[in-house]
C-alpha cells in the first residue's frame, strides 16, 4: 500500500512539474519582467537604507608639527630615527645614516634646522638664534637652499614642519616664511635676467699672470665655446647690486649701451684688456 502511495506521489510531482514548465514557457517574458521589477525595488530600498544609516564623513589631515625639543631627540642615538629640518620642513634621513649618523660628516644638521650652514659651510658652531635666519643671505644663496630642499623632498621622507621661524604651532606658514618666498621669487627673476644676458653676451676669456695681472679678451668662441660670426669687445657687465660684474663680449653695435662699462686704461676698441684687483 505504501508503495502505491509513493508511486502516486511521484506521478503527482511529475504532473506539477509539467504544468510549471508549460506555464513558464507561455509566460516567460512576464515572469522575467516581474523578477526584474522586484530586483530593482530591492536594490533601491537597500541603497536608501545604507545611505541613511552610514553617513559619509570627511576627515581633515594635516602635517605633523615638531617643537625644537622634539626634533632634537631624532638624533640617531640609541636606535632613534634621524631627522633634520631645512627651511622649517622636517625630513627623515635615517636611510642615509652613513652620512648623518653620530660622528658622520653631516651629523651637524641632525635634530635641528641649520639652513644657513647649507650655503655658508659653517659646521663648527651652532647658534639656534641665527642658524635658520636666511633672509640676510644673497639671492643666489636662497636659490641654492631651495634646490637643497627639492633634493630632500626627492631623496628622503618628508615628516612635517618645525615650529619656529617658518611655521607656527598649527603648521601654517609664518610672515617670515612668506618674506622668504617673496625674496626667493625676486632672486629667481634676477637670475633669469642674468642668465639671459650671459646667453646674449658671452663671457670673456680670462687668464692671470703675476707680471701682467688679469687678462680678458674676446674671440668668436669665447663664452660657451660655440662658434659665432662676431668676436666682440670686453666690457664690464654689472649685476643688479651694481657691485659685482663679469666680463662680457659685446658686439660693436651695442657698445654704447649704458649697462656696459669699459675697463680702465683699455682702448675703446681693444679686443683685450688688462687689470689688477
Amino acid at each position: 500500500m505504501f508503495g502505491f502511495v509513493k508511486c502516486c506521489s511521484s506521478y503527482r510531482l511529475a504532473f506539477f512539474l509539467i504544468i510549471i514548465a508549460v506555464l513558464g514557457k507561455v509566460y516567460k517574458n512576464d515572469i522575467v519582467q516581474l523578477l526584474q521589477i522586484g530586483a530593482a525595488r530591492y536594490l533601491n530600498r537597500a541603497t536608501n537604507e545604507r545611505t541613511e544609516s552610514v553617513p559619509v564623513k570627511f576627515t581633515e589631515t594635516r602635517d605633523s608639527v615638531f617643537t625644537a625639543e622634539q626634533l632634537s631627540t631624532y638624533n640617531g642615538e640609541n636606535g632613534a630615527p634621524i631627522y633634520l629640518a631645512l627651511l622649517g620642513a622636517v625630513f627623515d634621513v635615517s636611510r642615509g645614516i652613513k652620512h648623518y649618523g653620530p660622528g658622520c660628516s653631516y651629523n651637524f644638521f641632525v635634530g635641528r634646522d641649520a639652513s644657513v650652514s647649507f650655503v655658508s659651510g659653517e659646521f663648527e658652531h651652532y647658534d639656534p638664534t641665527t642658524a635658520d635666519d636666511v633672509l640676510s643671505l644673497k639671492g643666489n644663496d636662497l636659490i641654492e637652499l631651495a634646490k637643497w630642499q627639492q633634493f630632500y623632498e626627492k631623496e628622503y621622507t618628508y615628516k612635517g614642519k618645525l615650529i619656529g621661524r617658518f611655521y607656527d604651532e598649527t603648521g601654517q606658514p609664518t610672515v617670515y616664511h612668506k618674506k622668504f618666498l617673496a625674496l626667493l621669487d625676486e632672486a629667481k627673476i634676477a637670475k633669469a635676467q642674468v642668465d639671459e644676458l650671459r646667453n646674449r653676451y658671452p663671457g670673456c676669456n680670462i687668464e692671470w699672470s703675476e707680471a701682467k695681472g688679469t687678462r680678458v679678451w674676446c674671440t668668436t668662441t669665447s663664452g660657451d665655446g660655440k662658434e659665432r660670426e662676431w668676436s666682440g669687445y670686453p666690457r664690464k657687465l654689472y649685476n643688479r647690486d651694481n657691485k659685482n660684474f663679469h666680463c662680457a663680449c659685446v658686439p660693436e653695435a651695442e657698445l654704447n649701451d649704458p649697462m656696459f662699462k669699459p675697463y680702465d686704461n683699455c682702448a675703446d676698441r681693444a679686443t683685450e684688456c688688462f687689470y689688477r684687483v
Side-chain angles (χ1 to χ4, degrees), residues 207-215 272-277:
E207 68 176 10
W208 178 88
S209 68
E210 186 175 355
K212 295 185 177 182
T214 300
R215 175 196 176 205
E272 66 175 6
C273 298
F274 295 88
Y275 68 93
R276 292 183 183 276
V277 178

Side-chain angles (χ1 to χ4, degrees), residues 263-277:
Y263 283 90
D264 296 334
N265 304 316
C266 188
D268 187 55
R269 293 300 187 272
T271 57
E272 66 175 6
C273 298
F274 295 88
Y275 68 93
R276 292 183 183 276
V277 178

Side-chain angles (χ1 to χ4, degrees), residues 28-41:
K28 176 181 178 181
N29 294 334
D30 294 332
I31 293 173
V32 170
Q33 187 176 5
L34 288 172
L35 291 174
Q36 290 175 340
I37 293 172
R41 289 178 177 175

Side-chain angles (χ1 to χ4, degrees), residues 105-180:
S105 55
Y106 293 110
N107 183 255
F108 174 84
F109 295 103
V110 170
R112 58 179 60 151
D113 189 332
S115 294
V116 174
S117 293
F118 277 90
V119 292
S120 70
E122 173 57 58
F123 300 147
E124 296 297 327
H125 305 288
Y126 173 73
D127 182 353
T129 63
T130 60
D132 60 349
D133 189 2
V134 300
L135 293 189
S136 60
L137 297 176
K138 296 179 180 180
N140 286 338
D141 292 334
L142 299 182
I143 293 175
E144 189 66 21
L145 282 175
K147 289 181 179 178
W148 272 112
Q149 191 174 57
Q150 291 173 356
F151 165 79
Y152 281 101
E153 289 173 350
K154 178 180 178 181
E155 299 296 330
Y156 295 99
T157 303
Y158 171 75
K159 301 301 291 187
K161 300 169 182 175
L162 176 64
I163 299 172
R165 289 191 192 274
F166 296 91
Y167 298 99
D168 62 21
E169 291 80 2
T170 64
Q172 296 301 309
T174 60
V175 173
Y176 185 97
H177 192 183
K178 294 175 182 177
K179 288 182 179 179
F180 161 74

